[in-house]
Amino acid sequence: MILSPSILAADFGILAEQIKRAETAGAKWLHIDVMDGHFVPNISFAMPVIASIRKYTDMFFDVHLMITEPERYIREFIKAGADGITFHIEATKKPLECIELIKKEGKSAGISVKPGTAVETIEKYLDKVDMALVMSVEPGYGGQKYIESVNSKIRYIREKMGADFNIEVDGGIDNKTIDMAMDAGANVIVAGTAVFNDDIEGSVKELLR
């Protein structure tokens, strides 16, 4: 299992320090949610934040683009320090172009579906990407409740793609729902408030148990 703590829940006043604490405790990836206020009803951060924290860690930067027409910005996010780029099938009319742009730069490509989107919409792209991200909440805000019905999507992808394919789940993950997601077949776990709290080290170790 790969734990990818989401900095959306971190304290940006001491962001580098909190990232280092999560890394030291055993987290290998760092989940970076980019929101444009258009595809999702919230705005987060973009290239300057990624570039600034890139200097402080060698963790895998798992960049999740929740933006309309992600193909416009993929190269810029890679230049800023992204190791992997995941885009939403609902946000672009050019999914193959997105995948090709990411792969051309030698980075990991991921494709994502929202809870209300049929998993079949990404099926024909799965053999072209390195990871599928199944949203277990409506994207845009942290702290939401895990939507259990997405487990069937995770199972579907795992059955189709086999054991070596990365399936990421994002939203509502805590010490209870993590087992549900993993039992369904997820192996990359995004956690925000379940990591970035008063006990980052203890939280990471508990999730990685």
Coordinates of all heavy atoms in Angstrom, one line a residue, residues 95-172:
P95 N -8.7 13.3 -23.8 CA -7.9 12.4 -22.8 C -6.7 11.8 -23.4 O -5.7 11.7 -22.7 CB -9.0 11.3 -22.4 CG -10.0 11.4 -23.5 CD -10.0 12.8 -24.0
L96 N -6.7 11.4 -24.6 CA -5.5 10.8 -25.2 C -4.4 11.8 -25.3 O -3.2 11.5 -25.1 CB -5.8 10.2 -26.6 CG -6.6 8.9 -26.6 CD1 -6.9 8.5 -28.0 CD2 -5.8 7.8 -25.9
E97 N -4.7 13.0 -25.6 CA -3.7 14.1 -25.7 C -3.1 14.3 -24.3 O -1.8 14.5 -24.2 CB -4.3 15.4 -26.2 CG -3.3 16.5 -26.3 CD -3.9 17.8 -26.8 OE1 -4.7 17.7 -27.7 OE2 -3.5 18.9 -26.4
C98 N -3.9 14.3 -23.3 CA -3.4 14.4 -21.9 C -2.4 13.3 -21.5 O -1.3 13.6 -21.0 CB -4.6 14.4 -20.9 SG -5.6 15.9 -21.0
I99 N -2.8 12.1 -21.8 CA -1.9 11.0 -21.5 C -0.6 11.1 -22.3 O 0.5 10.9 -21.7 CB -2.7 9.7 -21.9 CG1 -3.9 9.5 -21.0 CG2 -1.7 8.5 -21.8 CD1 -4.8 8.4 -21.5
E100 N -0.7 11.4 -23.6 CA 0.5 11.5 -24.4 C 1.4 12.6 -23.9 O 2.7 12.5 -23.9 CB 0.1 11.8 -25.8 CG -0.5 10.5 -26.5 CD -1.2 10.8 -27.8 OE1 -1.1 12.0 -28.3 OE2 -1.7 9.9 -28.4
L101 N 0.8 13.8 -23.5 CA 1.7 14.9 -22.9 C 2.4 14.5 -21.7 O 3.6 14.8 -21.5 CB 0.8 16.1 -22.6 CG 0.3 16.9 -23.8 CD1 -0.8 17.9 -23.3 CD2 1.4 17.7 -24.4
I102 N 1.8 13.7 -20.8 CA 2.4 13.3 -19.6 C 3.5 12.3 -19.9 O 4.6 12.4 -19.4 CB 1.3 12.7 -18.6 CG1 0.3 13.7 -18.2 CG2 2.0 12.1 -17.4 CD1 -1.0 13.1 -17.6
K103 N 3.2 11.3 -20.7 CA 4.1 10.2 -21.0 C 5.3 10.8 -21.8 O 6.5 10.3 -21.6 CB 3.4 9.2 -21.9 CG 2.4 8.4 -21.1 CD 3.0 7.4 -20.2 CE 2.0 6.4 -19.7 NZ 2.6 5.4 -18.8
K104 N 5.1 11.7 -22.6 CA 6.2 12.3 -23.4 C 7.3 12.9 -22.5 O 8.4 13.0 -22.8 CB 5.7 13.4 -24.4 CG 6.7 13.9 -25.3 CD 6.1 14.9 -26.3 CE 7.1 15.4 -27.3 NZ 6.5 16.4 -28.3
E105 N 6.8 13.4 -21.3 CA 7.7 14.1 -20.4 C 8.3 13.0 -19.4 O 9.0 13.4 -18.5 CB 7.0 15.1 -19.6 CG 6.5 16.3 -20.4 CD 7.6 17.1 -21.1 OE1 8.7 17.2 -20.5 OE2 7.3 17.6 -22.2
G106 N 8.0 11.7 -19.6 CA 8.5 10.7 -18.8 C 7.9 10.6 -17.4 O 8.5 10.0 -16.5
K107 N 6.7 11.1 -17.3 CA 6.0 11.0 -16.0 C 4.9 10.0 -16.0 O 4.5 9.5 -17.0 CB 5.5 12.4 -15.7 CG 6.5 13.5 -15.7 CD 7.7 13.3 -14.7 CE 8.7 14.4 -14.7 NZ 9.8 14.1 -13.7
S108 N 4.4 9.8 -14.8 CA 3.3 8.8 -14.6 C 2.0 9.4 -14.9 O 1.7 10.5 -14.4 CB 3.4 8.3 -13.1 OG 2.3 7.5 -12.8
A109 N 1.2 8.7 -15.7 CA -0.1 9.3 -16.0 C -1.3 8.6 -15.3 O -1.3 7.3 -15.2 CB -0.3 9.1 -17.6
G110 N -2.2 9.4 -14.8 CA -3.4 8.8 -14.1 C -4.6 9.4 -14.7 O -4.7 10.6 -15.2
I111 N -5.7 8.7 -14.6 CA -7.0 9.1 -15.0 C -8.0 8.9 -13.9 O -8.0 7.9 -13.2 CB -7.5 8.4 -16.3 CG1 -8.7 9.1 -17.0 CG2 -7.7 6.9 -16.1 CD1 -8.9 8.7 -18.4
S112 N -8.9 9.9 -13.7 CA -9.8 9.9 -12.6 C -11.3 10.0 -13.0 O -11.6 10.6 -14.0 CB -9.5 11.0 -11.6 OG -10.3 11.0 -10.5
V113 N -12.1 9.4 -12.1 CA -13.6 9.5 -12.3 C -14.2 10.0 -11.0 O -13.8 9.6 -9.9 CB -14.3 8.2 -12.7 CG1 -13.9 7.8 -14.1 CG2 -13.9 7.0 -11.7
K114 N -15.2 10.8 -11.1 CA -16.0 11.3 -10.0 C -17.0 10.2 -9.5 O -17.2 9.3 -10.3 CB -16.7 12.6 -10.3 CG -15.8 13.8 -10.6 CD -16.6 15.1 -10.6 CE -17.6 15.2 -11.7 NZ -18.2 16.6 -11.7
P115 N -17.5 10.3 -8.3 CA -18.4 9.3 -7.8 C -19.6 9.0 -8.7 O -20.1 7.9 -8.9 CB -18.9 9.8 -6.5 CG -17.8 10.7 -6.0 CD -17.2 11.3 -7.3
G116 N -20.1 10.0 -9.4 CA -21.3 9.9 -10.2 C -21.0 9.5 -11.7 O -21.9 9.3 -12.5
T117 N -19.7 9.3 -12.0 CA -19.4 9.0 -13.4 C -19.2 7.4 -13.5 O -18.5 6.8 -12.7 CB -18.1 9.7 -13.8 OG1 -18.2 11.1 -13.7 CG2 -17.7 9.3 -15.2
A118 N -19.7 6.9 -14.5 CA -19.6 5.4 -14.8 C -18.1 5.0 -15.0 O -17.4 5.7 -15.8 CB -20.5 5.0 -15.9
V119 N -17.7 4.0 -14.4 CA -16.3 3.5 -14.5 C -16.0 3.2 -16.0 O -14.8 3.3 -16.4 CB -16.0 2.4 -13.6 CG1 -16.7 1.1 -14.0 CG2 -14.5 2.1 -13.4
E120 N -17.0 2.8 -16.7 CA -16.8 2.4 -18.1 C -16.3 3.6 -19.0 O -15.7 3.3 -20.0 CB -18.1 1.9 -18.7 CG -18.5 0.5 -18.2 CD -19.2 0.6 -16.9 OE1 -19.5 1.7 -16.4 OE2 -19.5 -0.5 -16.3
T121 N -16.4 4.8 -18.5 CA -16.0 6.0 -19.3 C -14.4 6.0 -19.4 O -13.9 6.6 -20.3 CB -16.5 7.3 -18.7 OG1 -16.0 7.4 -17.4 CG2 -18.0 7.4 -18.7
I122 N -13.8 5.4 -18.5 CA -12.3 5.3 -18.5 C -11.7 4.0 -18.9 O -10.5 3.9 -19.1 CB -11.7 5.8 -17.2 CG1 -12.0 4.7 -16.1 CG2 -12.1 7.2 -16.8 CD1 -11.2 4.9 -14.8
E123 N -12.6 3.0 -19.2 CA -12.1 1.7 -19.4 C -11.2 1.6 -20.6 O -10.1 0.9 -20.5 CB -13.3 0.8 -19.7 CG -13.0 -0.7 -19.8 CD -14.2 -1.6 -19.8 OE1 -15.3 -1.1 -19.6 OE2 -14.0 -2.8 -19.9
K124 N -11.4 2.3 -21.7 CA -10.6 2.1 -22.9 C -9.3 2.8 -22.7 O -8.4 2.7 -23.6 CB -11.3 2.7 -24.1 CG -11.6 4.1 -24.1 CD -12.4 4.5 -25.4 CE -12.7 6.0 -25.5 NZ -13.4 6.3 -26.7
Y125 N -9.1 3.6 -21.6 CA -7.8 4.3 -21.4 C -6.9 3.6 -20.4 O -5.8 4.0 -20.2 CB -8.1 5.7 -21.0 CG -8.9 6.5 -21.9 CD1 -10.3 6.9 -21.6 CD2 -8.5 6.9 -23.2 CE1 -11.1 7.6 -22.5 CE2 -9.3 7.6 -24.1 CZ -10.6 7.9 -23.7 OH -11.4 8.6 -24.6
L126 N -7.5 2.6 -19.7 CA -6.7 2.0 -18.6 C -5.4 1.4 -19.0 O -4.4 1.5 -18.2 CB -7.6 1.0 -17.9 CG -8.8 1.6 -17.1 CD1 -9.7 0.5 -16.5 CD2 -8.4 2.5 -16.0
D127 N -5.4 0.8 -20.2 CA -4.1 0.2 -20.6 C -3.1 1.2 -21.1 O -2.0 0.8 -21.4 CB -4.4 -0.9 -21.6 CG -5.0 -0.4 -22.9 OD1 -5.4 0.8 -22.9 OD2 -5.1 -1.1 -23.9
K128 N -3.5 2.5 -21.1 CA -2.6 3.5 -21.5 C -2.0 4.4 -20.4 O -1.1 5.2 -20.6 CB -3.3 4.4 -22.5 CG -3.8 3.7 -23.8 CD -4.6 4.6 -24.7 CE -5.0 4.0 -26.0 NZ -5.8 2.8 -25.8
V129 N -2.6 4.2 -19.2 CA -2.2 5.0 -18.0 C -1.5 4.1 -17.0 O -1.5 2.9 -17.1 CB -3.4 5.7 -17.4 CG1 -3.9 6.7 -18.4 CG2 -4.4 4.8 -16.9
D130 N -0.9 4.7 -16.0 CA -0.2 4.0 -14.9 C -1.1 3.9 -13.7 O -0.8 3.1 -12.8 CB 1.1 4.8 -14.5 CG 2.0 5.0 -15.7 OD1 2.6 4.0 -16.1 OD2 2.0 6.1 -16.2
M131 N -2.2 4.7 -13.6 CA -3.0 4.6 -12.4 C -4.4 5.1 -12.7 O -4.6 6.0 -13.6 CB -2.4 5.5 -11.4 CG -3.1 5.5 -10.0 SD -2.2 6.5 -8.7 CE -2.5 8.2 -9.3
A132 N -5.4 4.6 -12.0 CA -6.7 5.1 -12.1 C -7.1 5.6 -10.7 O -6.8 5.0 -9.7 CB -7.7 4.0 -12.5
L133 N -7.6 6.8 -10.6 CA -8.0 7.4 -9.4 C -9.5 7.4 -9.3 O -10.2 8.0 -10.1 CB -7.5 8.9 -9.3 CG -8.1 9.8 -8.2 CD1 -7.9 9.1 -6.8 CD2 -7.4 11.1 -8.2
V134 N -10.1 6.7 -8.3 CA -11.5 6.7 -8.0 C -11.8 7.6 -6.9 O -11.4 7.5 -5.8 CB -11.9 5.2 -7.6 CG1 -13.4 5.2 -7.3 CG2 -11.6 4.3 -8.8
M135 N -12.6 8.7 -7.2 CA -13.0 9.6 -6.2 C -14.0 9.0 -5.3 O -15.1 8.6 -5.8 CB -13.5 10.9 -6.8 CG -12.4 11.8 -7.5 SD -11.1 12.4 -6.4 CE -12.0 13.3 -5.2
S136 N -13.8 9.1 -4.0 CA -14.8 8.5 -3.1 C -15.6 9.6 -2.3 O -16.3 9.3 -1.4 CB -14.1 7.6 -2.0 OG -12.9 8.2 -1.6
V137 N -15.4 10.8 -2.8 CA -16.3 12.0 -2.4 C -16.4 12.8 -3.7 O -15.7 12.7 -4.6 CB -15.6 12.8 -1.3 CG1 -15.5 12.0 0.0 CG2 -14.3 13.4 -1.7
E138 N -17.3 13.8 -3.6 CA -17.4 14.7 -4.7 C -16.2 15.7 -4.6 O -15.9 16.2 -3.6 CB -18.7 15.5 -4.6 CG -19.9 14.8 -5.0 CD -19.9 14.3 -6.5 OE1 -19.3 15.0 -7.3 OE2 -20.5 13.3 -6.8
P139 N -15.4 15.8 -5.7 CA -14.2 16.6 -5.6 C -14.4 18.1 -5.3 O -15.4 18.6 -5.8 CB -13.5 16.4 -7.0 CG -14.6 16.0 -7.9 CD -15.6 15.2 -7.0
G140 N -13.5 18.7 -4.6 CA -13.6 20.1 -4.3 C -13.3 20.5 -2.9 O -12.8 21.6 -2.7
Y141 N -13.7 19.6 -2.0 CA -13.5 20.0 -0.5 C -13.0 18.8 0.2 O -13.5 17.6 0.0 CB -14.8 20.5 0.1 CG -15.2 21.8 -0.5 CD1 -16.2 21.9 -1.5 CD2 -14.7 23.0 0.0 CE1 -16.6 23.1 -2.1 CE2 -15.1 24.3 -0.6 CZ -16.0 24.3 -1.6 OH -16.4 25.5 -2.1
G142 N -12.2 19.0 1.3 CA -11.8 17.9 2.1 C -12.8 17.7 3.2 O -13.8 18.5 3.4
G143 N -12.6 16.6 4.0 CA -13.5 16.4 5.2 C -14.8 15.8 4.9 O -15.7 15.8 5.8
Q144 N -15.0 15.3 3.7 CA -16.3 14.7 3.4 C -16.4 13.2 3.7 O -15.4 12.6 4.0 CB -16.6 14.8 1.9 CG -16.7 16.2 1.4 CD -17.0 16.3 -0.1 OE1 -18.1 15.8 -0.6 NE2 -16.1 16.8 -0.9
K145 N -17.6 12.6 3.7 CA -17.8 11.2 4.1 C -17.6 10.3 2.9 O -18.0 10.6 1.8 CB -19.2 11.0 4.6 CG -19.5 9.6 5.2 CD -20.9 9.5 5.7 CE -21.2 8.1 6.2 NZ -22.6 8.0 6.7
Y146 N -16.9 9.2 3.1 CA -16.6 8.2 2.1 C -17.9 7.7 1.5 O -18.8 7.2 2.2 CB -15.8 7.1 2.7 CG -15.2 6.1 1.8 CD1 -14.0 6.2 1.3 CD2 -16.0 4.9 1.4 CE1 -13.4 5.2 0.4 CE2 -15.5 4.0 0.6 CZ -14.2 4.1 0.1 OH -13.7 3.2 -0.8
I147 N -18.0 7.7 0.2 CA -19.1 7.1 -0.5 C -18.9 5.7 -0.9 O -18.1 5.3 -1.7 CB -19.4 7.9 -1.8 CG1 -19.7 9.4 -1.5 CG2 -20.6 7.3 -2.6 CD1 -19.8 10.3 -2.7
E148 N -19.5 4.8 -0.1 CA -19.2 3.3 -0.2 C -19.5 2.7 -1.6 O -18.9 1.7 -2.0 CB -20.0 2.6 0.9 CG -19.5 3.0 2.3 CD -20.2 2.1 3.4 OE1 -20.7 1.0 3.0 OE2 -20.2 2.6 4.5
S149 N -20.4 3.3 -2.3 CA -20.8 2.7 -3.6 C -19.7 2.7 -4.6 O -19.7 2.0 -5.6 CB -22.0 3.5 -4.2 OG -21.7 4.8 -4.4
V150 N -18.6 3.5 -4.4 CA -17.5 3.6 -5.3 C -16.6 2.3 -5.2 O -15.8 2.0 -6.1 CB -16.6 4.8 -5.1 CG1 -17.4 6.1 -5.2 CG2 -15.8 4.7 -3.8
N151 N -16.9 1.5 -4.2 CA -16.1 0.3 -4.0 C -16.3 -0.7 -5.2 O -15.3 -1.4 -5.6 CB -16.4 -0.4 -2.7 CG -16.0 0.3 -1.5 OD1 -15.0 1.1 -1.6 ND2 -16.7 0.2 -0.4
S152 N -17.4 -0.6 -5.8 CA -17.7 -1.5 -7.0 C -16.8 -1.1 -8.2 O -16.4 -1.9 -9.0 CB -19.2 -1.5 -7.4 OG -19.6 -0.2 -7.7
K153 N -16.6 0.2 -8.3 CA -15.7 0.7 -9.3 C -14.2 0.2 -9.1 O -13.6 -0.2 -10.1 CB -15.7 2.3 -9.4 CG -17.0 2.9 -9.8 CD -16.8 4.4 -9.8 CE -18.2 5.1 -10.1 NZ -18.0 6.5 -10.2
I154 N -13.8 0.3 -7.9 CA -12.5 -0.1 -7.6 C -12.3 -1.6 -7.9 O -11.3 -2.0 -8.5 CB -12.1 0.1 -6.1 CG1 -12.2 1.6 -5.7 CG2 -10.8 -0.5 -5.7 CD1 -12.1 1.9 -4.3
R155 N -13.3 -2.4 -7.5 CA -13.3 -3.9 -7.8 C -13.2 -4.1 -9.3 O -12.5 -5.0 -9.8 CB -14.5 -4.6 -7.2 CG -14.5 -4.6 -5.7 CD -15.6 -5.5 -5.1 NE -15.7 -5.4 -3.7 CZ -16.6 -4.6 -3.1 NH1 -17.4 -3.8 -3.9 NH2 -16.6 -4.5 -1.8
Y156 N -14.0 -3.4 -10.0 CA -14.1 -3.5 -11.5 C -12.8 -3.3 -12.2 O -12.3 -4.1 -13.0 CB -15.2 -2.5 -12.0 CG -15.4 -2.6 -13.5 CD1 -16.4 -3.5 -14.0 CD2 -14.6 -1.9 -14.4 CE1 -16.6 -3.6 -15.4 CE2 -14.9 -2.0 -15.8 CZ -15.9 -2.8 -16.3 OH -16.1 -2.9 -17.6
I157 N -12.1 -2.2 -11.7 CA -10.8 -1.9 -12.3 C -9.8 -2.9 -11.9 O -8.9 -3.3 -12.8 CB -10.3 -0.4 -11.9 CG1 -11.3 0.6 -12.4 CG2 -8.9 -0.1 -12.4 CD1 -11.1 2.0 -11.8
R158 N -9.8 -3.3 -10.7 CA -8.8 -4.3 -10.2 C -9.0 -5.6 -11.0 O -8.0 -6.3 -11.4 CB -8.9 -4.6 -8.7 CG -8.0 -5.6 -8.1 CD -6.5 -5.2 -8.4 NE -6.1 -4.0 -7.6 CZ -5.2 -3.2 -8.0 NH1 -4.5 -3.4 -9.1 NH2 -4.9 -2.2 -7.2
E159 N -10.2 -6.1 -11.2 CA -10.5 -7.3 -11.9 C -10.0 -7.2 -13.4 O -9.5 -8.1 -14.0 CB -11.9 -7.6 -11.9 CG -12.4 -8.1 -10.5 CD -13.9 -8.3 -10.4 OE1 -14.6 -8.1 -11.5 OE2 -14.4 -8.5 -9.3
K160 N -10.2 -6.0 -14.0 CA -9.8 -5.8 -15.4 C -8.3 -5.7 -15.5 O -7.7 -6.2 -16.5 CB -10.5 -4.6 -15.9 CG -10.1 -4.2 -17.4 CD -10.9 -3.1 -17.9 CE -10.5 -2.8 -19.3 NZ -10.7 -3.9 -20.3
M161 N -7.6 -5.0 -14.6 CA -6.2 -4.6 -14.8 C -5.2 -5.5 -14.1 O -4.0 -5.4 -14.3 CB -6.0 -3.2 -14.4 CG -6.8 -2.2 -15.2 SD -6.5 -2.3 -17.0 CE -4.8 -1.8 -17.1
G162 N -5.6 -6.3 -13.1 CA -4.7 -7.2 -12.4 C -4.0 -6.5 -11.3 O -4.2 -5.4 -10.9
A163 N -3.1 -7.3 -10.7 CA -2.5 -6.9 -9.4 C -1.5 -5.8 -9.5 O -1.3 -5.2 -8.5 CB -1.9 -8.2 -8.7
D164 N -0.9 -5.7 -10.6 CA 0.2 -4.7 -10.7 C -0.2 -3.3 -11.0 O 0.7 -2.4 -11.1 CB 1.2 -5.2 -11.7 CG 1.9 -6.5 -11.3 OD1 2.0 -6.8 -10.1 OD2 2.2 -7.3 -12.2
F165 N -1.4 -3.1 -11.3 CA -1.9 -1.7 -11.7 C -2.3 -0.9 -10.4 O -2.9 -1.4 -9.5 CB -3.2 -1.9 -12.6 CG -3.7 -0.6 -13.1 CD1 -3.0 0.0 -14.2 CD2 -4.9 0.0 -12.6 CE1 -3.5 1.2 -14.7 CE2 -5.4 1.1 -13.2 CZ -4.7 1.8 -14.2
N166 N -1.9 0.4 -10.5 CA -2.2 1.3 -9.3 C -3.6 1.8 -9.4 O -4.0 2.4 -10.4 CB -1.2 2.4 -9.3 CG 0.2 2.1 -8.7 OD1 0.3 1.1 -7.9 ND2 1.2 2.8 -9.1
I167 N -4.3 1.6 -8.3 CA -5.7 2.1 -8.1 C -5.6 3.0 -6.9 O -5.4 2.5 -5.8 CB -6.7 1.1 -8.0 CG1 -6.8 0.1 -9.2 CG2 -8.1 1.7 -7.8 CD1 -7.7 -1.0 -9.1
E168 N -5.9 4.3 -7.1 CA -5.9 5.3 -6.0 C -7.3 5.6 -5.6 O -8.2 5.7 -6.5 CB -5.1 6.5 -6.5 CG -5.0 7.6 -5.4 CD -4.0 8.7 -5.8 OE1 -4.3 9.2 -7.0 OE2 -3.1 9.1 -5.1
V169 N -7.5 5.8 -4.3 CA -8.8 6.2 -3.8 C -8.6 7.5 -3.0 O -7.6 7.6 -2.3 CB -9.5 5.1 -3.0 CG1 -8.7 4.8 -1.8 CG2 -10.9 5.5 -2.6
D170 N -9.5 8.5 -3.2 CA -9.3 9.8 -2.6 C -10.7 10.3 -2.1 O -11.6 10.5 -2.9 CB -8.8 10.8 -3.7 CG -8.6 12.2 -3.2 OD1 -8.7 12.4 -2.0 OD2 -8.2 13.0 -4.1
G171 N -10.7 10.6 -0.8 CA -11.9 11.2 -0.2 C -12.4 10.4 1.0 O -12.8 9.2 0.8
G172 N -12.5 11.0 2.1 CA -13.2 10.4 3.3 C -12.4 9.2 3.9 O -13.0 8.4 4.6

